[in-house]
Amino acid sequence: MDDQTWARTPIEPQSANAPLSTAAIFLVVTITDGAEAATTARGVISDLGGLVRTVGFRDLAGHLSCNVGIGAAAWQRFEQQSKPAQLDRFHAIPGFAHTAPATPGDLLFHIRAERADQCFELERLLLGKLGTAVTVVDEVQGFRYFDSRDLLGFVDGTENPTGASMMQSSLIGDEDQEFSGGSYVVVQKYLHDLTAWATLSTEQQEAIIGRTKADNVELDDDDAPRKSHKALNTIVDENGVEHDILRDNMPFGRPGQGEFGTYFIGYARNLWVIDHMLRRMFIGDPVGDYDRILDFSTAVTGSTYFVPSNDLLESLAPDA
Ligand code: HEM
């Protein structure tokens, strides 16, 4: 696709593989008790594509996109006959030193655009439609930081799968036919202690991440005494097959409040792959040798969702 066509092409609704953007909003809500609220929520999300077009069409070069993820408890309330095979709530992972907490969330909205105002406007209209049917439990505005660095100073996202392998690792296939084209998504909000991180030398930081800081080159650290973040998150099964996920982490922060964070978001065809990564990070491999990124980054939220394909999302309309 040439640049001009790209600038004028809206992004398909519910695209896990929407391009990395300069701005994003991560909005997590719970659905109010009662059948009426669940029906309202179903109605609003089934027409999410219309709302994205309403805002996105005002500047197609903004590439506005929004994915909605539905949590396991909410899925049950939507009275569907079947459920995505691996959909489950997020289970807390208590490690020896650090814990990945599980926090509430029925719906996740992952809003991305090249313009922060488009993200804002979509969120405003969306929450207006949802009204009292939901309560906002977390809202984070992320931004792209220089060459896609996180606030620890490292380029984040390099080893994301691309092309066919991106679809292969992020979209459910024929193994769960009714839900094919959908995706599982896990989000976690991390807060960094940048003062403590700054006391480490660049070499120490690089050993923790597994890549060089300035030029982002992967370290040859197979023989390192303790596994890096990169090594812990490289998942190879007993047949030698590597399992990837699609990440679109975003930095966020309020320097005036001393808040500096990374919002982790991972899309996967198989939820077990993300679960495995988290266990290796928090429990360690070998057990006890957890990811040292956690000594400087505290997970304060954690929740899991199923992102249906657009057709399935539309079919959730109460009157469909
Ligand atoms: C790689 C940062 C949390 C999964 C990386 C890299 C950085 C990074 C800088 C190296 C560049 C790249 O390939 O992207 C962070 C930060 C986190 C965080 C700042 C939060 C504080 C997580 C979590 C997971 C994860 C929670 C999974 C559950 C991965 C994976 C890779 C990676 C799969 C690529 C490994 C490879 O194949 O080389 N991360 N990450 N990250 N991270 Fe994270």
Side-chain angles (χ1 to χ4, degrees), residues 150 152 154-159 188 190 192 209 211 229-230 233-234 242 245 247 249 262 264 274 277-278 281 293 297:
D150 53 44
L152 300 177
F154 284 78
V155 177
D156 189 357
T158 312
E159 288 299 332
Q188 282 184 303
Y190 284 89
H192 301 303
I209 301 290
R211 303 186 81 91
H229 178 69
K230 173 204 73 183
N233 281 300
T234 303
E242 189 170 332
I245 63 169
R247 293 164 292 133
N249 296 357
T262 294
F264 165 80
I274 302 186
M277 289 175 176
L278 287 172
M281 282 179 67
I293 212 174
S297 316

Side-chain angles (χ1 to χ4, degrees), residues 23 29 56 62 74 78-79 84 87 96-97 102 108 110 141 166 168 174 186 193 195 208 223 228 231 287 316:
V29 304
F78 288 174
E79 296 169 332
L87 181 60
F96 296 102
L108 163 77
H110 181 200
Q141 272 123 17
M166 168 165 35
Q168 177 75 18
D174 286 345
V186 171
D193 182 346
T195 311
I208 290 175
D223 298 327
S228 63
V287 171
L316 293 181

Side-chain angles (χ1 to χ4, degrees), residues 227 231-232 234-235 276-285:
K227 288 192 174 67
L232 287 167
T234 303
I235 308 295
H276 207 66
M277 289 175 176
L278 287 172
R279 288 183 178 282
R280 283 167 64 92
M281 282 179 67
F282 282 83
I283 293 168
D285 179 42

Side-chain angles (χ1 to χ4, degrees), residues 193-205 213 295-296:
D193 182 346
L194 290 191
T195 311
W197 181 247
T199 64
L200 302 186
S201 66
T202 300
E203 290 71 26
Q204 287 172 316
Q205 294 180 352
K213 193 171 185 181
D295 289 336
F296 307 90

Side-chain angles (χ1 to χ4, degrees), residues 1-9 63:
M1 202 187 292
D2 63 56
D3 282 357
Q4 270 199 337
T5 318
W6 163 235
R8 282 183 275 106
T9 309
H63 298 303

